[in-house]
Amino acid sequence: MNINNTLPVILSLIPLALGIVWKLSNDPHTTHKSMGLTAIGVLTGGLVYMRSSFETEPALLLLASAILLSGFCAILSQEDTQQSSNIHASTMIVLGLSLGVILHQTIVSRIFLCGLLGFIAISLNREQQNTYRTKIILLHITLAIIFSLGSVFMGETLQLFSGLFLAVTFLPLAPFHLPFVGTIKDAKGSLSSFWIVVWLIIGLGELNGIYSSLTTNMLFALSLLALVSAVYASLAALGQRLNSLFVASATVAHTALVWGLLDVFPGFPKWGIPFGITLAFVMGGISLAFSFVRMRYGWKTLGILPGLASPMPRFGVTMVLLVSFALFLPLFPTFSGLMFMPTIVNTNVEIVVISFLFLVVWLGGGWYFLQMLHQTAFGEARSDVPYSDLRLIEFVAVSALLLGAAFSGLIH
């Protein structure tokens, strides 16, 4: 095995080994944060070396860099609590497994993906009750593991459908969104933000691998499914009271844009991957900002703590910037697609479907994002709450995600 193959393996195993050791030791070391940040610095240097020395696909390096930035922000901003050691360990395990999925090819990538799916199943099984919904999620994850391993040995047609199943799971469309929603709902602390980014990044990688094999009929069917998913998720976001489920539903609604525009703009890696990363960073930033308030006050329900912008100005500025960015998310793939190549629309039916999808996501997003902002940042603050604004480190972490979103959406 030459260095082209060994270096990605080493980069994936470094955080994975650290996370497993921390998880098994169950020892709340205060050095976990500094060790995790140092490891991410080493991994960043490894990616820079890969880019300068190897002929690595730029899209894969961009996806891996997004995972590293999100992992850095999650570890940096995690407050020292009784759960922080476990959160740091889980973050490093997910970081290592997800890098293994993105940076490797064929069987090695699938082994890492099965490991990640297994870790998701174990985490969900520990956190959730033995409900019908949980059983469906675990069955879905089991099928994903089977398809992931089986795709290596299947024929081209079965490989395509296996990859498509994994893509609609990780770049979630209803009704394939339940594992994503369940994972985000039960993630602790800053891990919820990291999961959003990792989940979408893996979905982008899966879609990038099968995009060239999708037929016209499949693309049209996916655009219809995307429209249905956008309507469902937008309504779900409007009716959500839990902040974690709100962010998950909003993410599913906006993810529909990626699928719907596949039949409009060719060259998915040029517009779809930058937009997907932008979406992941914005939603991850909102989730991270919510996690800071949850860690302070145990706040999980929207509307319980209104008026946070007055006693917590850093939080207020953060939420206004994030929501402002989120309101214009549907414009990014449109401008990027038009910039790189002309639109290709075959029938009037496709124009109608895409137009409805765009309006549902944009108008729906404007409705529920502004409603969420009104329930959190604006209004009259409660007099019985000892407010504490975001620490500088927390503000820096969210700002880094916003800068990453701006770079991916506007510059890249």
Side-chain angles (χ1 to χ4, degrees):
M1 183 180 291
N2 56 36
I3 190 172
N4 297 43
N5 297 322
T6 44
L7 183 57
V9 173
I10 294 173
L11 294 180
S12 304
L13 291 179
I14 289 175
L16 180 59
L18 278 176
I20 292 175
V21 170
W22 294 349
K23 184 76 75 171
L24 294 178
S25 65
N26 199 26
D27 188 8
H29 283 298
T30 56
T31 58
H32 284 178
K33 175 180 287 191
S34 59
M35 292 174 64
L37 294 176
T38 301
I40 291 177
V42 172
L43 298 177
T44 302
L47 286 186
V48 172
Y49 178 76
M50 286 180 61
R51 181 175 182 178
S52 61
S53 304
F54 307 149
E55 293 183 1
T56 308
E57 186 178 348
L60 297 182
L61 291 178
L62 184 62
L63 293 173
S65 299
I67 292 175
L68 286 181
L69 176 59
S70 179
F72 173 83
C73 294
I75 293 178
L76 176 68
S77 61
Q78 177 59 45
E79 187 178 356
D80 291 331
T81 63
Q82 292 181 346
Q83 296 180 332
S84 59
S85 179
N86 186 52
I87 292 173
H88 288 151
S90 296
T91 301
M92 296 303 287
I93 290 174
V94 174
L95 177 62
L97 291 172
S98 57
L99 284 179
V101 175
I102 295 298
L103 293 178
H104 298 90
Q105 301 296 324
T106 60
I107 186 65
V108 178
S109 173
R110 292 314 182 193
I111 291 174
F112 275 103
L113 181 57
C114 288
L116 183 65
L117 289 166
F119 183 77
I120 294 168
I122 293 172
S123 301
L124 287 173
N125 197 38
R126 286 177 178 173
E127 296 294 337
Q128 298 194 12
Q129 297 178 352
N130 189 24
T131 62
Y132 181 71
R133 184 184 181 93
T134 305
K135 292 178 181 178
I136 293 177
I137 293 175
L138 293 176
L139 176 61
H140 189 136
I141 293 174
T142 302
L143 288 175
I145 292 174
I146 294 173
F147 285 138
S148 178
L149 284 178
S151 64
V152 179
F153 309 102
M154 295 175 180
E156 291 185 5
T157 302
L158 291 177
Q159 281 184 352
L160 174 59
F161 282 101
S162 297
L164 185 58
F165 180 82
L166 293 170
V168 295
T169 297
F170 282 98
L171 205 58
L173 287 178
F176 304 96
H177 67 299
L178 293 181
F180 171 72
V181 173
T183 301
I184 302 307
K185 177 178 179 292
D186 291 323
K188 307 296 183 183
S190 61
L191 190 57
S192 59
S193 170
F194 186 51
W195 264 125
I196 290 175
V197 176
V198 166
W199 205 281
L200 296 190
I201 292 301
I202 291 177
L204 291 170
E206 293 293 332
L207 180 54
N208 187 46
I210 64 171
Y211 167 72
S212 59
S213 302
L214 296 175
T215 64
T216 301
N217 290 334
M218 294 174 70
L219 289 173
F220 180 66
L222 287 170
S223 65
L224 289 176
L225 181 60
L227 177 59
V228 173
S229 179
V231 172
Y232 167 79
S234 295
L235 293 175
L238 279 171
Q240 285 298 346
R241 300 289 300 179
L242 293 179
N243 51 56
S244 57
L245 291 180
F246 168 83
V247 178
S249 299
T251 304
V252 174
H254 281 74
T255 298
L257 279 175
V258 178
W259 291 100
L261 293 176
L262 286 177
D263 204 19
V264 179
F265 299 115
F268 165 75
K270 295 181 179 180
W271 65 266
I273 288 180
F275 169 66
I277 293 174
T278 301
L279 171 63
F281 281 156
V282 172
M283 296 303 177
I286 294 175
S287 178
L288 191 61
F290 280 166
S291 73
F292 299 150
V293 184
R294 285 200 304 270
M295 284 186 284
R296 283 166 168 77
Y297 312 111
W299 167 69
K300 295 182 179 180
T301 305
L302 294 173
I304 287 183
L305 288 176
L308 292 178
S310 177
M312 301 173 63
R314 283 179 180 170
F315 177 83
V317 170
T318 295
M319 290 306 300
V320 169
L321 290 175
L322 286 167
V323 170
S324 299
F325 211 115
L327 289 175
F328 291 98
L329 276 174
L331 298 179
F332 290 107
T334 305
F335 288 147
S336 298
L338 289 171
M339 183 185 304
F340 286 112
M341 53 186 63
T343 58
I344 298 178
V345 180
N346 298 320
T347 67
N348 292 330
V349 176
E350 294 176 11
I351 296 176
V352 172
V353 171
I354 298 304
S355 299
F356 269 114
L357 174 62
F358 189 88
L359 288 175
V360 166
V361 176
W362 199 2
L363 296 180
W367 192 351
Y368 56 70
F369 276 127
L370 290 177
Q371 177 179 296
M372 178 272 292
L373 191 63
H374 177 73
Q375 292 173 326
T376 56
F378 304 130
E380 184 177 353
R382 290 171 50 175
S383 59
D384 59 335
V385 176
Y387 292 101
S388 174
D389 202 2
L390 300 187
R391 296 175 295 142
L392 180 60
I393 287 179
E394 294 171 334
F395 187 75
V396 167
V398 179
S399 299
L401 292 178
L402 266 173
L403 291 174
F407 173 80
S408 181
L410 299 174
I411 301 175
H412 192 271

